[in-house]
Amino acid sequence: MVDQQLVDWMADKKDLIVPTLFKSVQFGIIKKLSQGVKLSENEKRYLRGKMKQKIMALQELMQREVKSDEVTVLLNNIGSYYVTGLEALKHNGYGWYYEPKFIEIINTKIEGILRFKDRTIKFIRVKSITHSQIKIDKETGLKYATNEQILKDVAFTKNQYTKMAWTQMFKRYGKMFVKIKKGKEVIAKSRIDYSKYGV
């Protein structure tokens, strides 16, 4: 049985879930369920298939993560991802003076931009993140790029402001920010081995 509260929440969050989690046709079914409108036989078939599995997975995740915000629930539902760029720098303790308007997510499933409240989530799809250096936040369970990884990711995010901020942090904090040898190698290295990312 589908939780009516979850259905109502999804019907109110079209910008968040379409097309990231559900297609437009599937969202139409969610809207009908929310309004109590009878479904056609074809729509019922949709609801019995993978769409139902997604709704049930969301239901379980939201029950588990009642205290978490909607972005956390969304990211933990994606699976293979990590947060990079200015958001990761801030999380790692080096961005106390700014509030990132973009959250850049490297992942293996979704590509595109999602506007969410006062922030924009940019999903950058790569074939693999196996060789990426990440840390998991113990409190939220979210995955963040290490300081070394953030600079490597600029090749995919194309965010030159992140590169500039990273370089300033490295010059100011040196070995506190990254291991000095690694930092110099990363700055000096102009060519990135894309094969590590499956590109």
Side-chain angles (χ1 to χ4, degrees):
M1 187 73 179
V2 179
D3 182 356
Q4 189 61 40
Q5 277 187 315
L6 175 62
V7 169
D8 293 341
W9 176 85
M10 288 189 296
D12 194 42
K13 301 288 182 184
K14 183 175 182 178
D15 291 343
L16 179 65
I17 65 172
V18 178
T20 310
L21 297 175
F22 296 100
K23 296 174 184 173
S24 295
V25 174
Q26 294 172 324
F27 181 76
I29 296 169
I30 291 167
K31 196 120 177 137
K32 278 188 171 183
L33 286 172
S34 175
Q35 295 166 349
V37 177
K38 191 175 179 181
L39 300 178
S40 69
E41 289 305 312
N42 194 34
E43 289 169 332
K44 286 178 185 176
R45 275 196 297 277
Y46 261 104
L47 194 56
R48 284 194 297 267
K50 288 188 178 181
M51 185 179 171
K52 185 177 181 182
Q53 291 173 353
K54 282 184 185 178
I55 292 172
M56 299 310 270
L58 271 176
Q59 187 172 318
E60 191 177 324
L61 282 167
M62 289 185 90
Q63 285 171 350
R64 258 193 243 160
E65 302 184 27
V66 175
K67 292 180 183 175
S68 300
D69 67 6
E70 292 157 340
V71 175
T72 305
V73 173
L74 173 66
L75 292 180
N76 284 336
N77 197 34
I78 291 173
S80 189
Y81 80 93
Y82 63 89
V83 179
T84 192
L86 295 173
E87 184 73 22
L89 266 180
K90 187 176 179 78
H91 176 268
N92 294 346
Y94 293 93
W96 61 91
Y97 61 91
Y98 63 82
E99 190 60 46
K101 291 184 180 175
F102 280 88
I103 302 174
E104 295 168 321
I105 311 292
I106 302 285
N107 73 99
T108 60
K109 294 181 181 176
I110 303 170
E111 185 154 356
I113 292 175
L114 182 68
R115 299 200 194 311
F116 185 74
K117 293 182 182 176
D118 59 339
R119 303 174 96 184
T120 302
I121 303 173
K122 184 178 179 184
F123 292 97
I124 299 107
R125 187 177 179 183
V126 295
K127 288 186 180 176
S128 173
I129 62 169
T130 308
H131 298 289
S132 300
Q133 298 172 336
I134 60 171
K135 294 178 186 174
I136 299 174
D137 185 297
K138 290 177 185 175
E139 196 175 305
T140 63
L142 292 178
K143 301 167 192 170
Y144 290 89
T146 62
N147 290 339
E148 292 89 348
Q149 186 65 42
I150 292 166
L151 188 63
K152 291 177 185 176
D153 291 337
V154 170
F156 301 107
T157 64
K158 312 291 187 214
N159 190 336
Q160 293 304 308
Y161 184 75
T162 298
K163 186 175 183 178
M164 185 182 74
W166 191 98
T167 306
Q168 287 174 354
M169 297 286 182
F170 173 66
K171 287 176 182 173
R172 187 178 300 156
Y173 299 106
K175 63 182 177 181
M176 282 176 56
F177 185 62
V178 291
K179 291 177 184 171
I180 293 293
K181 189 178 176 191
K182 266 191 176 180
K184 286 180 180 173
E185 283 173 11
V186 172
I187 286 178
K189 203 173 185 183
S190 59
R191 189 169 176 271
I192 292 173
D193 184 2
Y194 292 102
S195 65
K196 287 183 180 177
Y197 298 92
V199 177

